[in-house]
Amino acid sequence: MVRHFLKDDDITAAEQAEILRRALELKKAPYSVRPFEGPKTVALIFDKTSTRTRVSFAVGVADLGGVPLIIDSQSSQMGAKESVADTAKVLGRQVAQIVWRTYAHEGLEEMAANAGVPVINSLSDDYHPCQILADLLTIKEHKGELAGLKIAYVGDAANNMANSYLLGCALAGMNVAVAGPTGYQPASQIVARAEQIAKATGGSVEVVAEPVAAITGADVVVTDTWISMGQESEKAQRLADFAGFTIDADLMTHAKPDAIFMHCLPAYRGYEVSAEVIDGPQSVIWDEAENRLHAQKALMAWLAQH
């Protein structure tokens, strides 16, 4: 059976730990594993603009011995003149894996159902699981073991990042606290699934409306932009709704003294996070950005063997 990585809980806790272990090894020895030697080709499809995702996957495929085939959907037939299913059947006969940064998560499911090769979600409206692998790798490097640590996510708790933090960090046995204002809370089914995972891994899940409640005692503090692609027209309303949710130095005092700060980027200083925090000594955002490369290489190598 072909394995895919469309959302954070498509792998088990043990498999997540194995991928993170491989990522640490690949970071030390970048060219030690070459599953795409040949070279094999990996399709990297982008419906959205991208910097970190495009670079990290392209470099990662090359490091693993393969050729990255970057496809901008605007210049292809997919989704307009040809269905996702038909595109998947064509790609699956020519490439080793498919990586897709897209909008509706249902498209990824259709791709996976028809491709016959592993499909990786490099971002959808509902989940961003590759970012969570990179974040967990970063936390592991700075804090050691993941299980039992508290991670606090503050901001738009109804977006793809919040969904993936809930699922992926619960899978790692962490205590996940999420804070978002009224109207920006995670979907009940996501919270229920995260709670189910946490019960099995020894973690916990908490959803609150106040940033201080989430951040108090946190080992890790994370946030994301309040205004994602496609939400520009909502900017004024969102800035008003998120008043008091900026991660600043005062808010960080409620976390543990040695807490680290992370952000998946791009960041908007003065909105979701102050410059003092994101550019300060607790910030590990550049380690986090680099770790997209190592975590994704480990994921692709793992999928190549399953």
Side-chain angles (χ1 to χ4, degrees), residues 49 52 223-229 232 235 239 246-247 261 263-275 278-279:
T49 56
R52 279 154 296 280
T223 189
D224 185 25
T225 178
W226 297 339
I227 307 155
S228 297
M229 282 180 279
E232 290 80 7
K235 181 176 179 178
L239 291 182
T246 300
I247 306 293
F261 171 80
H263 190 307
C264 64
L265 303 177
Y268 301 92
R269 290 163 174 81
Y271 290 175
E272 71 270 14
V273 60
S274 69
I278 196 169
D279 298 322

Side-chain angles (χ1 to χ4, degrees), residues 4-286:
H4 307 285
F5 190 59
L6 308 185
K7 52 189 178 67
D8 305 83
D9 58 341
D10 280 347
I11 54 177
T12 66
E15 288 169 342
Q16 182 193 72
E18 169 64 11
I19 291 167
L20 293 175
R21 184 190 65 77
R22 290 189 182 202
L24 287 171
E25 292 177 351
L26 282 169
K27 190 168 185 176
K28 294 177 182 176
Y31 313 110
S32 59
V33 177
R34 308 275 285 180
F36 300 140
E37 197 73 81
K40 297 178 181 178
T41 300
V42 175
L44 310 179
I45 308 171
F46 293 91
D47 293 348
K48 295 184 175 185
T49 56
S50 171
T51 300
R52 279 154 296 280
T53 298
R54 188 182 297 248
V55 172
S56 58
F57 267 110
V59 173
V61 171
D63 284 357
L64 295 174
V67 173
L69 173 62
I70 297 176
I71 304 170
D72 286 310
S73 60
Q74 295 85 349
S75 58
S76 74
Q77 307 280 16
M78 188 175 74
K81 296 182 179 179
E82 187 170 50
S83 69
V84 172
D86 286 357
T87 300
K89 291 170 184 175
V90 171
L91 289 177
R93 289 177 175 233
Q94 301 181 57
V95 304
Q97 294 184 12
I98 299 168
V99 180
W100 191 10
R101 180 182 175 94
T102 188
Y103 293 91
H105 191 75
E106 291 74 18
L108 281 156
E109 293 173 342
E110 185 177 354
M111 181 75 77
N114 290 277
V117 297
V119 175
I120 296 172
N121 175 9
S122 57
L123 179 141
S124 70
D125 287 346
D126 293 342
Y127 307 99
H128 197 356
C130 289
Q131 181 66 56
I132 300 306
L133 287 179
D135 287 6
L136 291 174
L137 179 61
T138 307
I139 298 166
K140 192 172 180 65
E141 286 182 321
H142 285 269
K143 295 291 183 181
E145 293 304 313
L146 298 171
L149 294 178
K150 180 178 180 180
I151 182 168
Y153 173 89
V154 173
D156 186 350
N159 71 4
N160 51 4
M161 285 306 305
N163 290 345
S164 279
Y165 278 120
L166 282 164
L167 297 178
C169 294
L171 199 64
M174 300 179 74
N175 300 309
V176 191
V178 173
T182 301
Y184 300 92
Q185 297 278 319
S188 58
Q189 65 267 26
I190 296 291
V191 176
R193 176 57 180 149
E195 289 174 338
Q196 181 185 35
I197 293 170
K199 188 175 181 180
T201 61
S204 66
V205 173
E206 181 183 19
V207 179
V208 297
E210 296 297 329
V212 171
I215 288 180
T216 298
D219 300 282
V220 183
V221 178
V222 295
T223 189
D224 185 25
T225 178
W226 297 339
I227 307 155
S228 297
M229 282 180 279
Q231 298 173 336
E232 290 80 7
S233 63
E234 306 171 27
K235 181 176 179 178
Q237 183 61 55
R238 283 177 168 263
L239 291 182
D241 292 343
F242 285 100
F245 278 77
T246 300
I247 306 293
D248 57 19
D250 288 340
L251 202 51
M252 284 295 291
T253 63
H254 295 278
K256 289 182 178 176
D258 63 346
I260 58 174
F261 171 80
M262 299 197 304
H263 190 307
C264 64
L265 303 177
Y268 301 92
R269 290 163 174 81
Y271 290 175
E272 71 270 14
V273 60
S274 69
E276 184 180 10
V277 170
I278 196 169
D279 298 322
Q282 289 175 283
S283 175
V284 296
I285 60 168
W286 307 122

